[in-house]
Amino acid sequence: MKINDLLNIANTYGSPVYVYDAQKIASQYNRLTNAFASVPKLRINYAMKALSNISILKLMKDLGAGLDTVSIQEVQLGLLAGFDPQQIIFTPNGVSMDEIEEAMRLGVQLNIDNLSFLEQFGTQHPEIPVCIRINPHVMAGGNSNISVGHIDSKFGISIHQIPHILRIVENTKMHINGIHMHTGSDILDIDVFLYAAEILFETAKHFKDLQFIDFGSGFKVPYKEGDIQTNIEELGERLSSRFADFCKEYGRNLTLAFEPGKFLVSEAGYFLVKVNVVKQTTSTVFAGIDSGFNHLIRPMFYGANHYIENISNPEGKNRFYSVVGYICETDTFASNRQIAEITEGDILCFHNAGAYCYTMASNYNSRLRPAEVLWQNGEAKLIRKAETFEDLLRGQIY
């Protein structure tokens, strides 16, 4: 997108506002599918927790993606967006058996990640095929909050518990049609990922009626100029070859599945805010904006680095600013960051705002959540209205 397009959106819809570039989403999807073009059966299940606006879901469906869901509400949104139940995989953690059975009744693919529920479900519904989420005990992820494959993780069934899984499957006569893993987000070392894949291949040999193997996702995207990222093309070449060899050994072609979220939508997103005040203290120049971590929590929660650009003065001389929000506690987006000279009223653009930004937004401090806009075919389309004060009161009894 061009700077003038973003400025026009800020002028039309006000600030703060989230903007998503449909063309970038499509190019990321195509990049991933092209990297694995040699795989006869490939399934890309979009991890909708990253960005769950129904217009984005419809875009993913049009591209050919399935859905990775983690709550019954995400399943319901996916069905409302037009996905067939068999295009949706449900991979919850710590939910009730009632929620799993509700997803079962909706006809989606179930992915079970604990021995207790595996035995309960197999006893009650042995005719329903399920996938098993394995914890390979392989550490990946750029932050402890997004590393989910390590030995102390709450996610998945330990590879050391394979004998227990096999005992349950044998006793219940349940049908296992898939094996799944997810090591965590921000994968940098392809060799580590391939090592985890080998663990999954060895596990898969225990199950004779598999239809797919799901390798999760967590591909690293660049957050600033020169930032490192997952080499998708190298991963595609190496994993595709190894997967083909495994399928020959297994005796038939299985589906290779991934569940990317951030990879598909992060770089497509922009978050536009207005500078309310430029405030100089004894050692810092603050740029205070009309937003806070209630709208973009990642810098405070993960220490995430979002590139910030002054699109009102893109050619201005760089100065050092700490960009802060209006929440009534520490609310820092960037400390002593070089940004083109800022004046009050300028529009700042946060890049990489497509993933885990709106979906993690809240009404903290009784602030309203902003609008969402989709940029598609050279036009801006409002896909979610900004909240109003009436929205804050909805559901309250007074």
Side-chain angles (χ1 to χ4, degrees):
M1 292 188 66
K2 297 178 180 178
I3 285 178
N4 284 340
D5 298 327
L6 294 170
L7 285 171
N8 287 337
I9 288 172
N11 288 333
T12 301
Y13 298 102
S15 68
V17 60
Y18 301 90
V19 184
Y20 312 119
D21 184 347
Q23 183 178 353
K24 181 62 177 178
I25 293 173
S27 69
Q28 288 294 94
Y29 183 85
N30 292 333
R31 182 185 170 197
L32 187 55
T33 55
N34 289 339
F36 289 87
S38 65
V39 176
K41 297 180 179 180
L42 178 69
R43 167 60 69 184
I44 306 300
N45 294 318
Y46 169 57
M48 64 175 286
K49 62 181 176 288
L51 176 59
S52 57
N53 186 291
I54 198 164
S55 293
I56 300 299
L57 301 186
K58 289 180 177 180
L59 173 59
M60 293 297 181
K61 181 177 180 296
D62 290 343
L63 290 172
L67 281 185
D68 167 57
T69 62
V70 298
S71 71
I72 195 64
Q73 290 80 13
E74 286 191 346
V75 171
Q76 292 166 338
L77 279 172
L79 294 172
L80 188 61
F83 286 87
D84 291 329
Q86 58 266 33
Q87 293 177 299
I88 301 174
I89 185 168
F90 181 48
T91 307
N93 177 261
V95 304
S96 68
M97 180 58 75
D98 288 342
E99 186 166 331
I100 290 175
E101 290 184 324
E102 185 176 354
M104 176 197 71
R105 288 189 289 271
L106 292 174
V108 302
Q109 171 68 56
L110 302 177
N111 191 10
I112 296 180
D113 85 331
N114 68 82
L115 291 172
S116 174
F117 277 17
L118 187 68
E119 184 168 3
Q120 290 179 54
F121 191 88
T123 300
Q124 298 171 32
H125 310 286
E127 75 286 359
I128 302 295
V130 301
C131 176
I132 297 176
R133 180 175 187 172
I134 300 296
N135 182 345
H137 299 321
V138 173
M139 184 72 168
N143 181 285
S144 61
N145 289 335
I146 54 176
S147 299
V148 298
H150 55 83
I151 196 165
D152 263 344
S153 173
K154 70 172 184 171
F155 299 95
I157 302 174
S158 168
I159 55 169
H160 303 305
Q161 294 176 311
I162 296 298
H164 297 295
I165 296 175
L166 297 177
R167 174 180 54 82
I168 290 170
V169 172
E170 174 62 26
N171 289 343
T172 63
K173 308 302 180 188
M174 66 189 304
H175 180 201
I176 306 302
N177 68 342
I179 297 293
H180 167 280
M181 74 168 183
H182 184 60
T183 58
S185 295
D186 286 357
I187 294 167
L188 297 177
D189 192 333
I190 290 175
D191 288 325
V192 172
F193 187 87
L194 293 174
Y195 171 73
E198 289 298 329
I199 294 173
L200 211 56
F201 289 140
E202 285 300 313
T203 302
K205 293 176 183 178
H206 294 287
F207 305 94
K208 303 306 180 185
D209 298 313
L210 296 180
Q211 296 175 354
F212 66 93
I213 298 180
D214 190 330
F215 292 89
S217 180
F219 307 132
K220 175 76 168 64
V221 298
Y223 273 82
K224 53 187 175 182
E225 187 175 348
D227 200 5
I228 52 179
Q229 58 182 302
T230 304
N231 188 331
I232 293 296
E233 288 69 28
E234 181 186 352
L235 177 63
E237 180 180 353
R238 296 175 63 184
L239 183 56
S240 295
S241 176
R242 180 65 186 93
F243 188 75
D245 290 341
F246 175 79
C247 287
K248 288 179 183 177
E249 181 182 351
Y250 192 76
R252 66 176 182 274
N253 281 332
L254 303 178
T255 295
L256 190 161
F258 286 110
E259 49 191 40
K262 185 192 302 182
F263 179 82
L264 294 179
V265 298
S266 177
E267 294 174 274
Y270 304 89
F271 185 50
L272 309 181
V273 299
K274 184 177 71 174
V275 177
N276 284 334
V277 62
V278 177
K279 177 180 178 180
Q280 185 159 352
T281 65
T282 54
S283 60
T284 303
V285 179
F286 290 104
I289 62 174
D290 63 347
S291 181
F293 69 69
N294 54 319
H295 297 154
L296 203 162
I297 198 173
R298 298 185 74 257
M300 290 296 296
F301 191 33
Y302 296 131
N305 184 319
H306 288 259
Y307 174 63
I308 302 173
E309 182 180 12
N310 183 358
I311 59 175
S312 294
N313 184 28
E315 304 301 324
K317 180 180 178 181
N318 280 350
R319 297 187 61 192
F320 286 92
Y321 297 92
S322 289
V323 180
V324 294
Y326 56 19
I327 292 299
C328 192
E329 60 181 272
T330 301
D331 187 13
T332 304
F333 294 107
S335 296
N336 289 319
R337 184 85 60 85
Q338 279 195 313
I339 303 172
E341 188 168 11
I342 296 173
T343 56
E344 292 167 3
D346 282 353
I347 300 295
L348 303 186
C349 174
F350 289 74
H351 291 244
N352 283 91
Y356 305 102
C357 293
Y358 189 96
T359 55
M360 297 180 79
S362 73
N363 293 122
Y364 187 46
N365 282 193
S366 295
R367 294 289 185 176
L368 307 177
R369 281 175 287 201
E372 292 178 291
V373 173
L374 181 65
W375 179 259
Q376 191 171 28
N377 300 322
E379 295 182 354
K381 175 186 175 184
L382 183 66
I383 59 173
R384 191 193 303 262
K385 295 178 181 178
E387 288 183 333
T388 65
F389 184 69
E390 287 69 29
D391 292 320
L392 264 190
L393 294 173
R394 184 171 292 115
Q396 294 192 47
I397 300 172
Y398 62 100

